[in-house]
Amino acid sequence: MHYTLVGNGRMGQQVRAIIEETEEHDVRAVLDVDADISPASFEGSDVIIDFTVRDAFLANLPAMLESGVPVVVGTTGWDAEMDSVRAKVKDAGASLMYSANFSLGVNIFLRTVREAARMISSFEQFDIAFSEEHHTQKADYPSGTALRAAEMILEANERKKSILADLPKDSKISPDQLQVSAIRLGSVFGKHTAHINSEFDDIVISQTARNRQGFAGGAVEAGKWLAGKHSRQPGFYTMDDFLDEMLG
């Protein structure tokens, strides 16, 4: 398969390295920040993988959709535009797959957290919160993965109604608020933790990334899956859709 990469930062470089290690795929082009991107930029490509920043992704989206090439997006920080992007994908008859984190380990972790949140929902003695740790160069806060975990917890646990990303200065946390905290430290690749507490127990579910290869490899596999899906049923997809199909 022929991949075009949009973005040549750390993740883009790691994705390129993963692709070039295989005999199955190749990198057709790498479009960096200075590239003049148009639909023609993606001719001959089977998949586009975007690891840029919010503003660049939104600016390049029309050209990527118009190209007709399926788009895998690992760029985060555009949750407020999610509905708009979904509509644009549908109107263009295109395919786009978004995940804040393409690591298979992370996505198994997220499903585990969702199930734990569901199980404690009926037991009021259990409270739940979420934390994440990343390197000091990470721009968004909380991370996209943490926000996705928080959304899944809210969906699974009816006692939690909203996300609290910053502690209030002069008031207590409401029982229906889900605290999501973030630490920026050195060169930490990424650590995500669900904290469950009662008077009698502490339950901790945690995932720690060792390097970026898991993220990059997952994005390449997602691209291969999306290309096949696009030929049958174009649309907006997530890692949940990918895992649902892979796991049967």
Side-chain angles (χ1 to χ4, degrees):
M1 294 186 62
H2 306 298
Y3 287 78
T4 289
L5 310 183
V6 183
N8 195 35
R10 285 175 296 185
M11 276 306 304
Q13 292 171 20
Q14 187 67 66
V15 170
R16 183 175 186 173
I18 292 288
I19 292 172
E20 291 179 342
E21 288 176 0
T22 73
E23 296 181 358
E24 183 181 2
H25 311 303
D26 65 76
V27 176
R28 182 190 172 278
V30 178
L31 306 176
D32 207 351
V33 64
D34 297 324
D36 184 14
I37 294 178
S38 70
S41 303
F42 307 105
E43 289 181 0
S45 300
D46 298 305
V47 181
I48 300 165
I49 297 183
D50 181 290
F51 276 101
T52 54
V53 295
R54 173 192 175 278
D55 290 346
F57 162 66
L58 294 174
N60 294 329
L61 180 64
M64 292 192 290
L65 296 182
E66 188 177 338
S67 74
V69 179
V71 186
V72 171
V73 181
T75 301
T76 60
W78 51 276
D79 290 44
E81 288 77 28
M82 189 72 68
D83 290 342
S84 173
V85 170
R86 283 181 179 271
K88 290 176 181 177
V89 171
K90 181 178 180 180
D91 291 344
S95 291
L96 184 148
M97 181 176 179
Y98 167 67
S99 179
N101 195 316
F102 283 97
S103 162
L104 183 59
V106 164
N107 283 280
I108 291 172
F109 163 77
L110 290 175
R111 289 193 168 209
T112 304
V113 171
R114 180 172 61 189
E115 181 62 13
R118 184 194 65 79
M119 287 192 291
I120 67 169
S121 181
S122 299
F123 302 98
E124 293 189 1
Q125 66 265 39
F126 287 102
D127 196 12
I128 184 169
F130 197 89
S131 67
E132 54 97 342
E133 301 174 31
H134 284 89
H135 53 85
T136 55
Q137 299 305 303
K138 186 168 180 61
D140 53 329
Y141 168 96
S143 69
T145 300
L147 291 175
R148 177 57 185 146
E151 291 168 358
M152 294 171 77
I153 291 170
L154 263 58
E155 292 167 2
N157 191 313
E158 61 183 13
R159 290 189 287 114
K160 294 296 183 181
K161 306 296 185 183
S162 63
I163 298 169
L164 180 67
D166 291 298
L167 287 176
K169 293 182 179 180
D170 301 313
S171 61
K172 298 178 181 180
I173 296 176
S174 170
D176 64 0
Q177 291 178 311
L178 173 67
Q179 184 190 357
V180 179
S181 65
I183 294 174
R184 295 293 172 260
L185 177 66
S187 58
V188 175
F189 279 112
K191 181 176 182 179
H192 307 91
T193 306
H195 308 265
I196 299 173
N197 170 267
S198 76
E199 182 181 356
F200 307 107
D201 301 278
D202 284 307
I203 303 171
V204 178
I205 307 169
S206 186
Q207 179 273 339
T208 302
R210 296 183 183 274
N211 52 52
R212 292 186 179 87
Q213 291 181 344
F215 307 106
V220 174
E221 286 300 309
K224 180 180 177 180
W225 178 86
L226 184 64
K229 197 72 173 178
H230 176 68
S231 65
R232 305 188 304 273
Q233 188 177 356
F236 187 105
Y237 295 100
T238 68
M239 279 296 282
D240 268 345
D241 300 307
F242 171 73
L243 286 176
D244 286 344
E245 189 166 299
M246 295 299 291
L247 297 173

